[in-house]
């Protein structure tokens, strides 16, 4: 399948980059390289460091290193360890951190990676294939209590306990191996209550848990300000309320402390024309802040 990942809120991201003062940008979620490529084209004096924990994303991006020789360097790494990349690069500061969180279309539409309940695949969901824990291990070995907590905490699923019980009952008879098997167990348990597939929240919660997405985001935020130049910016696009809440409250706390100035009083969301072209952008929210102290 020919997958294309369309970078979300691209025009808006570029508008928040000050071409005059920006020298180094870390694209912490390189993905399909859409944002990085546009930045390299728009700002000829800017250097980009691209990070992604998915090695396929990095392999795919190598052609950008060729096309923009000396201006972009890619690293396979979790962005929670961006400081290690900076130290390898001999850099102490950057001017912009860009985070476009979640999964790319490449990951979502590749059935072998197991992120989508729309496609039959193994229950994997690891963005970094070197991780030990897969969604399958969680589903087949965690207790009912643990599953309930994951579904509730990371999926905000009202029927967490009922679904966890259905999973535990099912696996007494047979190991749950594929994405469609899990999706069917969930649909049979709670049925269709809205236009959204009943397994949506369960898949979201497993993905967040397996990849420790909230933990990585918090660790990144805690370190980020120590590496941002004065006047440097944090540009963060999130796709669900859990991560948006983390970003919003971090920005607010640091504004109160006089360290950051929030540049987006309300989060920026895609315009109608973008939504029409790229319906997957519908839940995107972008928040930007600037280091002032
Ligand atoms: C929404 S996509 C980014 C798309 C990209 N901005 C573009 O325009 O093509 C998110 C990417 O971030 C990566 N990612 C998510 N969490 C990460 C983390 N903690 N560390 C490194 N990469 C991460 C995923 O593997 C995925 O490729």
């Amino acid at each position: 399948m020919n997958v294309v990942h369309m970078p979300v809120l691209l025009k808006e991201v570029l508008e928040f980059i000050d071409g005059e003062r920006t020298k180094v940008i870390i694209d912490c979620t390189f993905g399909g390289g859409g944002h990085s490529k546009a930045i390299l084209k728009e700002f000829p004096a800017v250097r980009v460091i691209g990070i992604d924990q998915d090695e396929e994303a990095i392999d795919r991006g190598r052609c950008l290193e060729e096309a923009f020789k000396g201006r972009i360097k890619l690293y396979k790494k979790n962005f929670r360890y961006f400081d290690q990349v900076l130290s390898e690069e001999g850099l102490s500061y950057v001017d912009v951190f860009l985070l476009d969180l979640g999964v790319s279309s490449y990951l979502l539409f590749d059935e072998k990676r197991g992120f989508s309940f729309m496609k039959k695949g193994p229950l994997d969901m690891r963005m970094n294939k070197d991780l030990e824990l897969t969604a399958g291990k969680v589903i087949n070995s965690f207790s009912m209590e643990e599953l309930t907590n994951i579904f509730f905490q990371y999926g905000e699923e009202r029927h967490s306990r009922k679904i966890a019980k259905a999973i535990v009952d099912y696996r007494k008879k047979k190991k749950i191996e594929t994405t469609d098997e899990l999706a069917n167990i969930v649909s049979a348990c709670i049925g269709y209550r809205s236009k959204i597939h009943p397994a949506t929240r369960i898949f979201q919660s497993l993905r967040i848990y397996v990849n420790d997405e909230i933990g990585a985001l918090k660790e990144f935020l805690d370190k980020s300000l120590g590496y941002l130049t004065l006047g440097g910016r944090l540009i963060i696009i999130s796709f669900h309320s859990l991560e948006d809440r983390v970003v919003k409250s971090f920005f607010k706390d640091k504004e109160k402390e006089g360290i950051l100035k929030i540049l987006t009083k309300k989060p920026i969301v895609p315009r109608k024309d973008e939504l029409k072209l790229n319906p997957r952008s519908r839940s995107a929210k972008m928040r930007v802040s600037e280091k002032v102290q």
Side-chain angles (χ1 to χ4, degrees):
M1 187 180 168
N2 203 4
V3 176
V4 178
H5 180 93
M6 295 170 78
V8 298
L9 293 166
L10 179 58
K11 186 170 159 283
E12 293 80 353
V13 166
L14 295 177
E15 280 169 3
F16 274 101
I17 295 171
D18 178 349
E20 295 286 296
R21 67 169 304 284
T22 304
K23 294 185 185 69
V24 181
I25 294 183
I26 299 205
D27 180 352
C28 288
T29 50
F30 178 79
H35 287 108
S36 281
K37 188 172 177 183
I39 289 167
L40 289 162
K41 279 190 175 165
E42 184 81 14
F43 307 107
V46 166
R47 255 188 80 209
V48 175
I49 296 169
I51 295 179
D52 204 294
Q53 61 178 332
D54 173 26
E55 71 189 18
E56 289 180 17
I58 297 298
D59 290 345
R60 226 181 288 114
R62 292 288 175 208
C63 57
L64 271 196
E65 284 181 328
E66 280 299 308
F68 294 88
K69 268 210 163 65
R71 292 188 54 212
I72 176 161
K73 183 101 180 273
L74 300 181
Y75 287 87
K76 180 202 174 292
K77 185 77 90 194
N78 192 306
F79 62 61
R80 70 198 306 165
Y81 308 123
F82 75 86
D83 46 329
Q84 296 173 8
V85 170
L86 288 187
S87 125
E88 253 185 74
E89 285 284 312
L91 288 169
S92 312
Y93 292 100
V94 296
D95 303 300
V96 173
F97 282 106
L98 170 64
L99 276 77
D100 171 20
L101 297 163
V103 286
S104 65
S105 307
Y106 297 103
L107 285 171
L108 194 62
F109 296 124
D110 181 352
E111 63 273 18
K112 294 188 296 302
R113 307 297 293 267
F115 283 99
S116 170
F117 48 79
M118 310 287 278
K119 288 174 168 254
K120 179 175 179 163
L123 270 174
D124 191 323
M125 298 196 198
R126 292 167 303 168
M127 293 185 204
N128 171 3
K129 287 195 250 176
D130 299 330
L131 292 179
E132 287 272 305
L133 191 67
T134 62
K137 283 190 187 158
V138 174
I139 284 296
N140 287 292
S141 66
F142 280 29
S143 69
M144 189 171 119
E145 210 52 49
E146 287 169 321
L147 291 175
T148 304
N149 287 340
I150 291 170
F151 300 158
F152 187 71
Q153 194 180 346
Y154 299 123
E156 298 179 313
E157 170 58 64
R158 281 192 299 139
H159 305 285
S160 299
R161 184 167 296 279
K162 197 172 166 193
I163 296 169
K165 181 170 183 321
I167 289 170
V168 170
D169 286 347
Y170 185 99
R171 75 188 193 199
K172 281 180 195 153
K173 291 167 266 162
K174 182 190 170 303
K175 188 175 172 194
I176 303 166
E177 279 169 298
T178 57
T179 45
D180 60 326
E181 212 175 349
L182 177 61
N184 289 339
I185 297 168
V186 179
S187 335
C189 172
I190 58 169
Y192 276 79
R193 287 155 201 259
S194 69
K195 273 191 270 174
I196 299 168
H197 191 289
T200 306
R201 289 169 181 277
I202 298 302
F203 273 62
Q204 175 190 299
S205 66
L206 284 169
R207 196 198 83 201
I208 294 175
Y209 183 80
V210 164
N211 296 287
D212 188 22
E213 291 181 31
I214 303 297
L217 177 60
K218 286 184 176 164
E219 191 174 334
F220 162 80
L221 288 170
D222 285 341
K223 286 188 208 167
S224 62
L225 299 183
Y227 293 87
L228 198 59
T229 48
L230 201 61
R233 291 180 177 175
L234 279 167
I235 304 178
I236 306 186
I237 302 170
S238 58
F239 287 84
H240 55 75
S241 53
L242 290 175
E243 31 183 50
D244 184 53
R245 249 177 262 152
V246 172
V247 176
K248 183 178 167 185
S249 79
F250 178 82
F251 280 12
K252 278 198 164 167
D253 290 349
K254 295 299 165 190
E255 191 170 57
K256 266 191 211 142
E257 291 171 32
I259 299 171
L260 284 180
K261 178 177 188 298
I262 298 172
L263 303 183
T264 46
K265 289 296 162 208
K266 281 195 173 158
I268 294 179
V269 295
R271 293 173 320 244
K272 276 195 189 135
D273 52 343
E274 177 166 3
L275 288 172
K276 217 169 161 189
L277 262 171
N278 181 14
R280 279 204 61 223
S281 69
R282 69 186 172 280
S283 41
K285 282 187 179 167
M286 179 169 97
R287 296 186 187 269
V288 184
S289 63
E290 183 173 299
K291 187 166 162 183
V292 289
Q293 181 190 299

